[in-house]
């Protein structure tokens, strides 16, 4: 039976790559998509998400708009990475559909509570709505199989030298989500920058994909061509790797480690502090102690395998 999944996105280019994989792979049952402001303002995120799902032939998947801004901060975006429209400025025909009238938090709540089997929640965006969901409706935890979070890093950041963009965009939400997951005994995998850049597609592969027979392949190929032109050849499929991790976890090496989110600091706000010490000796000198939040942190990935999985799925189309 296909594995039920729900995605939380801020569709940009690599979120689109992830949406195509989740929407088209026969082993996944995409139940809903929740949109939050992040890579682009919320109205563009919603429009991009509907456009991608239309190209994938998945107009059946409900899409809802959620939080337009972080819990506390002013909303930065990443249109310098994803284009002014958040989708590579390709002038691709936009969807004429409208999103669900429900708020994204309500859509997530309803889909999870209505599920007859546990659902994997894959987050590819700032965690504002996920934090609100888990704290407002903690009973959804009984319907969550696990959380796969694209965000954070054990080493360097990208939004700043310390922080990865999704966590940096709303550090309080990330901290609340991890704390709530620990309270609710939810399994969490952190698919962060340590593996994010490894699955890549070449400009030639992107060109071949863009010449495909179906709209999904053509749009996905053009998005990867945009990535290759802007950032170099080859280009990462980025967030799509987190969906690959749901399909093929054996290709991902993780370690269970204590994690905290830095909420202060002039240079380190938004950093995921991954504690890789053994704790075998006397650590009582550490005034903070061991973090009560322990999750599976991705440290290595078979990048070519995930890239092949993505290309095979998206190139095959609906």
């Amino acid at each position: 039976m296909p594995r039920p999944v729900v995605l939380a996105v801020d569709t940009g280019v690599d979120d689109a790559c992830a949406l195509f994989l989740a929407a088209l792979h026969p082993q996944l049952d995409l139940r809903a998509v929740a949109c939050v402001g992040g890579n682009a303002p919320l109205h563009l995120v919603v429009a991009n998400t509907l456009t991608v799902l239309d190209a994938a032939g998945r107009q059946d998947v409900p899409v809802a708009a959620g939080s337009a801004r972080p819990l506390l901060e002013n909303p930065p975006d990443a249109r310098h990475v994803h284009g002014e429209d958040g989708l590579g400025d390709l002038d691709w025909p936009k969807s004429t559909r409208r999103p669900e009238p429900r708020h994204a938090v309500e859509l997530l709540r309803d889909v999870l509570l209505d599920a007859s089997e546990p659902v994997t929640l894959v987050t590819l965006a700032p965690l504002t709505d996920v934090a609100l969901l888990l704290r407002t409706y903690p009973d959804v935890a009984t319907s969550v199989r696990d959380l796969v979070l694209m965000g954070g890093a054990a080493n360097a950041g990208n939004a700043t030298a310390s922080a990865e963009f999704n966590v940096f965009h709303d550090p309080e939400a990330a901290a609340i989500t991890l704390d709530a997951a620990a309270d609710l005994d939810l399994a969490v995998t952190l698919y962060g920058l340590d593996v994010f850049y490894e699955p890549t597609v070449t400009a030639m592969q992107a060109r071949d994909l863009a010449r495909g027979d179906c709209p999904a392949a053509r749009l996905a190929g053009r998005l990867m061509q945009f990535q290759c032109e802007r950032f170099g050849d080859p280009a990462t499929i980025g967030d799509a790797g987190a969906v690959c991790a749901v399909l093929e976890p054996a290709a991902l090496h993780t370690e269970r480690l204590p994690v905290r989110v830095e909420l202060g600091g002039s240079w380190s706000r938004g950093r995921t502090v991954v504690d890789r010490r053994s704790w075998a000796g006397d650590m009582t000198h550490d005034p903070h102690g061991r973090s009560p939040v322990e999750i599976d942190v991705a440290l290595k990935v078979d990048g070519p395998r995930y890239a092949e999985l993505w290309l095979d799925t998206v190139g095959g189309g609906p």
Side-chain angles (χ1 to χ4, degrees):
M1 295 293 292
R3 180 171 174 173
V5 296
V6 171
L7 264 57
V9 301
D10 58 341
T11 310
V13 172
D14 55 345
D15 300 74
C17 293
L19 280 165
F20 279 128
L21 181 58
L24 295 173
H25 199 283
Q27 293 179 19
L28 296 179
D29 176 11
L30 180 59
R31 299 283 180 89
V33 180
C35 298
V36 66
N39 284 327
L42 181 61
H43 72 283
L44 291 177
V45 170
V46 172
N48 293 343
T49 301
L50 292 169
T51 295
V52 169
L53 289 173
D54 282 6
R58 293 300 307 273
Q59 292 90 343
D60 59 303
V61 177
V63 174
S67 299
R69 51 159 295 157
L71 295 175
L72 296 180
E73 298 280 1
N74 290 322
D77 64 44
R79 283 185 284 181
H80 61 287
V81 173
H82 299 272
E84 284 304 305
D85 69 351
L87 206 62
D89 298 322
L90 301 179
D91 199 28
W92 189 270
K94 298 297 184 185
S95 173
T96 58
R97 290 193 296 136
R98 297 183 63 82
E100 288 267 318
R102 288 173 286 182
H103 190 280
V105 173
E106 296 172 335
L107 174 65
L108 291 172
R109 175 202 62 194
D110 294 346
V111 169
L112 289 170
L113 292 180
D114 288 345
S116 59
E117 66 268 83
V119 178
T120 293
L121 175 55
V122 184
T123 71
L124 313 172
L127 289 160
T128 312
D129 288 339
V130 178
L132 293 171
L133 172 75
L134 295 180
R135 284 306 190 205
T136 308
Y137 305 110
D139 50 332
V140 301
T142 59
S143 299
V144 176
R145 173 174 173 171
D146 58 344
L147 295 175
V148 179
L149 310 182
M150 191 285 111
N155 295 307
N158 59 357
T160 70
S162 288
E164 178 274 333
F165 176 80
N166 284 341
V167 178
F168 177 75
H169 185 94
D170 197 341
E172 281 75 20
I176 290 168
T177 297
L178 291 179
D179 189 61
D183 284 349
L184 299 170
D185 197 27
L186 295 177
V188 178
T189 299
L190 191 74
Y191 187 95
L193 295 181
D194 307 288
V195 293
F196 179 88
Y197 296 107
E198 294 302 313
T200 58
V201 169
T202 67
M204 183 175 295
Q205 289 170 319
R207 182 198 64 195
D208 291 343
L209 198 60
R211 294 173 175 172
D213 295 330
C214 67
R218 293 197 295 272
L219 178 52
R222 290 193 62 190
L223 289 170
M224 290 311 300
Q225 286 179 310
F226 167 83
Q227 290 278 73
C228 288
E229 290 166 4
R230 179 162 287 201
F231 300 109
D233 181 9
T236 180
I237 61 173
D239 288 356
V243 179
C244 292
V246 176
L247 288 162
E248 296 195 7
L252 189 69
H253 170 72
T254 66
E255 292 183 20
R256 190 163 183 80
L257 296 166
V259 177
R260 286 187 171 97
V261 178
E262 176 59 64
L263 299 180
S266 298
W267 317 116
S268 58
R269 177 167 163 77
R271 181 179 180 85
T272 46
V273 182
V274 179
D275 191 346
R276 302 183 70 179
R277 296 174 293 178
S278 70
W279 287 85
D282 181 8
M283 304 298 284
T284 56
H285 65 278
D286 184 342
H288 306 295
R290 187 184 183 96
S291 172
V293 176
E294 294 192 13
I295 61 177
D296 295 322
V297 179
L299 298 175
K300 295 180 183 177
V301 66
D302 184 343
R305 176 63 201 122
Y306 277 6
E308 180 184 29
L309 171 62
W310 184 79
L311 284 165
D312 287 348
T313 303
V314 179

